[in-house]
Amino acid sequence: MEWQGFVTADDGCRLWTEVAGDGPPMVLCHGGPGLWDYLSPVARSIGAGYRVHRYDQRAGGRSSRERPWTLDRFVRDLDAVRAHFGYERWLVGGHSFGADLALRYACAYPERTIAVVYVAGVGIAWTTYRAAFGAAVTARRPADDERRYRELSDRDRTDAEEREFRILSWTTDYVDPAVGKANAAGMADSGMSVNYELNRILGAESKMESASA
């Protein structure tokens, strides 16, 4: 780690940020929305040849929770990180929702974007394949896990149940279930809270946007 601290957006929101490496600047955007940075293994795999920035998006992880919670605001927050470090242009990458955020950023600021690294993004026309995606995720869970996942989805959860729900939710993101379960357990034990309200708000905005496209 070369630097860790907070970048302040123009409305005062403090965005936890970490920087490592030396070379062309690059940022990695985590998924969610409503989660926190989990891309340190990706940053390590990129190596020291890039100056890699990772941050917790607004209202998630160690960042503060100022509103509004909108897709446009999240794009402008990402540019606030760029501006803080004084880059004219940088590589923008992300995973899942973070890949979509990186693509939105490139569309909004093409002159500030060298390239986009798009990993397992939700896509622009999300509503066209959402049902198929949900069916594929369900098929990846053993029947007992699927029953338990649905049971936990429909009620208020204790801390232990929340941990169990996170592991059941995230394990299917991996090809190897054993690796997925171990990595999901690591995230579940991070001590961070999931901002489910933010997830619903930005999810609804994405759906409306996709439906009108």
Side-chain angles (χ1 to χ4, degrees):
M1 179 187 68
E2 179 180 326
W3 184 88
Q4 184 183 103
F6 290 88
V7 170
T8 303
D10 58 5
D11 65 347
C13 184
R14 301 175 75 237
L15 305 169
W16 176 90
T17 307
E18 187 169 297
V19 186
D22 185 25
M26 178 179 189
V27 63
L28 296 175
C29 305
H30 65 77
L35 298 180
W36 51 89
D37 170 65
Y38 51 75
L39 295 173
S40 57
V42 178
R44 287 194 298 271
S45 72
I46 292 170
Y50 288 85
R51 184 171 170 82
V52 181
H53 303 68
R54 306 180 346 263
Y55 75 108
D56 288 346
Q57 294 157 20
R58 176 181 297 250
R62 291 145 290 198
S63 294
S64 58
R65 300 200 166 203
E66 284 83 356
R67 296 183 187 239
W69 297 347
T70 65
L71 294 169
D72 176 70
R73 180 68 258 186
F74 273 55
V75 169
R76 287 187 285 130
D77 286 348
L78 179 49
D79 198 52
V81 178
R82 177 203 60 81
H84 175 89
F85 292 99
Y87 307 128
E88 291 186 8
R89 303 172 72 219
W90 60 348
L91 291 92
V92 184
H95 167 253
S96 190
F97 168 75
D100 184 45
L101 179 59
L103 182 58
R104 290 175 183 277
Y105 179 89
C107 291
Y109 302 111
E111 73 284 0
R112 300 172 188 174
T113 306
I114 297 172
V116 175
V117 180
Y118 191 91
V119 181
V122 300
I124 298 298
W126 175 225
T127 56
T128 62
Y129 61 88
R130 183 178 177 85
F133 174 82
V137 169
T138 297
R140 292 174 67 85
R141 287 195 190 98
D144 287 346
D145 285 355
E146 180 63 20
R147 283 193 292 271
R148 182 59 172 163
Y149 171 79
R150 291 185 180 277
E151 178 185 342
L152 293 174
S153 297
D154 297 332
R155 72 182 194 207
D156 292 334
R157 296 181 288 273
T158 65
D159 289 345
E161 289 173 337
E162 174 64 18
R163 180 182 186 276
E164 183 182 4
F165 179 73
R166 293 183 186 188
I167 294 172
L168 290 171
S169 299
W170 299 334
T171 297
T172 54
D173 289 346
Y174 297 83
V175 174
D176 185 332
V179 172
K181 187 171 184 178
N183 288 352
M187 278 191 66
D189 293 334
S190 67
M192 304 284 190
S193 61
V194 179
N195 190 334
Y196 289 108
E197 182 185 8
L198 171 63
N199 187 276
R200 287 191 296 270
I201 290 172
L202 292 192
E205 184 180 352
S206 295
K207 291 174 195 174
M208 288 181 60
E209 181 182 79
S210 178
S212 62

